[in-house]
Amino acid sequence: MHKLLFLLMFNICFSQKNEYFSDSKTVIKANQYKINITQSNKNKKPVVDFILYKKSAEKWIQIQSGNFRKEESNLYVTTDEDLNNDGYNDIKISFAQAARGANEIEKLLLFDPKQQKLIDITNSQEYPNLHYNPTRNCINSYMFSGSNTTLFFRLRNNKLENFAKVDFYNDSVYSYKIRNNEEILLKKKPYQSSDAAVFFSDFDPIKE
C-alpha cells in the first residue's frame, strides 16, 4: 500500500513538473525584448509555452505568444546566437534527447524584425547542432554518427533547405552539392585530421 501511494505521488509530481526560463539581456536585442518560457507536462508529453515582450516607455508590452509539443528532454534555451546574420539574436529551445549525446536536437525560432515576431522553422528539429556559418552565410548542422557530417542550409519558406554536405570517415572526405534532393559528388580525397569531431565551413573548396 505504501509503495503504491509513493508511486502515485511520484507520477502526480512528475506530471505537474514545470520548468521556467526568462531573459532580456541577450534575447533578440539586449534590453529591448524579453521572453518568458514555460515547459510543462501535459498528457505525459512536454509542452513549451512562450511569451515575447517588447519594451515601450520602460514597460514590457506583450507582442507574441505561442506553444509547441516536444519530445522528452529538459528545458534548455539559447538566446545569444544570430543564425541568419540579420543583427537580431534568434532562439533555440531543446526539443529531444538525441541518440548520441553530442547531437543536440533543438527547435529554432528566428526573429523577424518586420513582423516583430518569432518564426518557427518547421523542420529545424530534424537536424542536430544548428549554428551560423559566416564563411558561407548559411546555417550548418553538425552530425555525429558512424561518420561526421556537415550539412549546409539556406532558409526557404520557414524551412531549412539542404544545398550541400561534407562527409568525413575512414580518413577520407566527400563533398556534395544537393539539387532537387539529389546528391552530386564534387570531391573525394584522403583527409587527415587530429580532431575526431572535425566539421567543415565550406564544401567547395573543402575547408574546416
Side-chain angles (χ1 to χ4, degrees), residues 35 43 47-48 57 71 82 107 129 163 165 172-174:
I35 195 162
N43 297 323
V47 175
V48 170
E71 301 301 322
D82 180 0
K107 167 66 75 176
N129 304 318
F163 67 90
K165 80 170 186 177
S172 294
V173 68
Y174 307 76

Side-chain angles (χ1 to χ4, degrees), residues 6 16 20 28 38 42-43 46 48 65 84 112 132 144 191 193 200:
F6 172 79
Q16 293 178 344
Y20 301 97
I28 303 174
T38 303
K42 297 176 182 178
N43 297 323
V48 170
S65 64
N84 58 347
D112 185 332
Y132 175 67
F144 296 85
Y191 197 87
S193 177
F200 298 86

Side-chain angles (χ1 to χ4, degrees), residues 54-161:
K54 185 176 182 179
K55 184 173 282 188
S56 177
E58 299 305 314
K59 292 184 179 180
W60 292 113
I61 307 300
Q62 180 177 326
I63 58 175
Q64 185 185 6
S65 64
N67 63 78
F68 60 88
R69 289 189 176 274
K70 57 181 280 190
E71 301 301 322
E72 294 291 341
S73 67
N74 292 328
L75 178 63
Y76 299 105
V77 184
T78 302
T79 59
D80 60 355
E81 188 174 358
D82 180 0
L83 281 100
N84 58 347
N85 195 31
D86 66 352
Y88 294 86
N89 286 342
D90 303 300
I91 296 173
K92 295 188 291 188
I93 301 174
S94 55
F95 189 84
Q97 296 285 357
R100 296 169 67 90
N103 288 321
E104 296 292 334
I105 307 296
E106 297 167 306
K107 167 66 75 176
L108 176 57
L109 303 174
L110 290 184
F111 183 71
D112 185 332
K114 292 182 179 178
Q115 299 184 64
Q116 287 290 295
K117 70 176 186 178
L118 294 165
I119 306 299
D120 178 8
I121 305 305
T122 57
N123 63 340
S124 58
Q125 65 273 17
E126 298 174 18
Y127 305 101
N129 304 318
L130 296 172
H131 294 286
Y132 175 67
N133 176 355
T135 301
R136 277 280 178 173
N137 191 27
C138 70
I139 295 173
N140 280 157
S141 169
Y142 307 122
M143 303 175 67
F144 296 85
S145 58
S147 63
N148 292 339
T149 299
T150 305
L151 300 176
F152 296 77
F153 296 98
R154 62 173 66 92
L155 288 164
R156 191 183 297 276
N157 299 325
N158 302 340
K159 295 185 72 174
L160 296 172
E161 181 181 85

